[in-house]
Amino acid sequence: AMPFEKKGVSLTLSAAKVVYSPGEAIPLRMTLFNGTQEELVLHFNTSQRYDFIVEATEGKGEAWRWSKGRMFLQVLGEEKVGPGRPTISYAAEIPSGLERGSYIVTGVMTSSDAPLSVSIPLQIR
């Protein structure tokens, strides 16, 4: 998934801090902001709007995925971001249980138009 780039539109991902201790839960927040006067309409093929994926940087692959084991309705939908509603935000928590190490956390807007994504580094030590 490519980072989303459009003038005036940004996708950001934040955790409370960069380094966590083992056993600590990690809250995440992803925000899509549209500061333009043009409404951005995102289309979705299911009731899922977002996902969070945690991958170990040492090539061990995926450590956690928010959507894993969740059921989503097979319904078309859309989200509008623009002058009337400039931001939409999604939050989740990575449960404790990640091993010590370095990770990349990626937030994804699962729209069918274009997958929008943003990544941040995270460490457990």
Side-chain angles (χ1 to χ4, degrees):
M2 293 289 294
F4 187 58
E5 283 182 27
K6 185 177 183 223
K7 203 170 168 63
V9 180
S10 65
L11 186 66
T12 55
L13 175 61
S14 60
K17 49 192 185 176
V18 180
V19 179
Y20 287 82
S21 305
E24 227 180 327
I26 303 166
L28 300 172
R29 177 170 292 277
M30 178 170 58
T31 302
L32 180 65
F33 170 74
N34 180 1
T36 72
Q37 290 307 303
E38 199 182 319
E39 193 169 61
L40 177 66
V41 183
L42 299 175
H43 300 90
F44 299 86
N45 293 330
T46 71
S47 62
Q48 184 181 3
R49 295 291 178 266
Y50 63 94
D51 209 346
F52 292 103
I53 301 145
V54 179
E55 291 169 293
T57 52
E58 286 89 41
K60 294 178 192 158
E62 203 171 279
W64 180 79
R65 181 183 284 257
W66 176 81
S67 63
K68 194 173 180 179
R70 292 174 192 264
M71 299 294 290
F72 299 100
L73 297 173
Q74 301 297 309
V75 290
L76 296 176
E78 61 178 35
E79 294 291 338
K80 295 177 176 158
V81 196
R85 182 198 188 199
T87 61
I88 45 177
S89 229
Y90 299 103
E93 194 172 77
I94 302 171
S96 58
L98 291 181
E99 296 171 15
R100 289 176 198 270
S102 300
Y103 296 89
I104 295 287
V105 183
T106 303
V108 182
M109 293 283 302
T110 55
S111 62
S112 54
D113 313 64
L116 320 179
S117 76
V118 57
S119 298
I120 55 171
L122 208 62
Q123 285 197 328
I124 301 201
R125 61 170 192 237

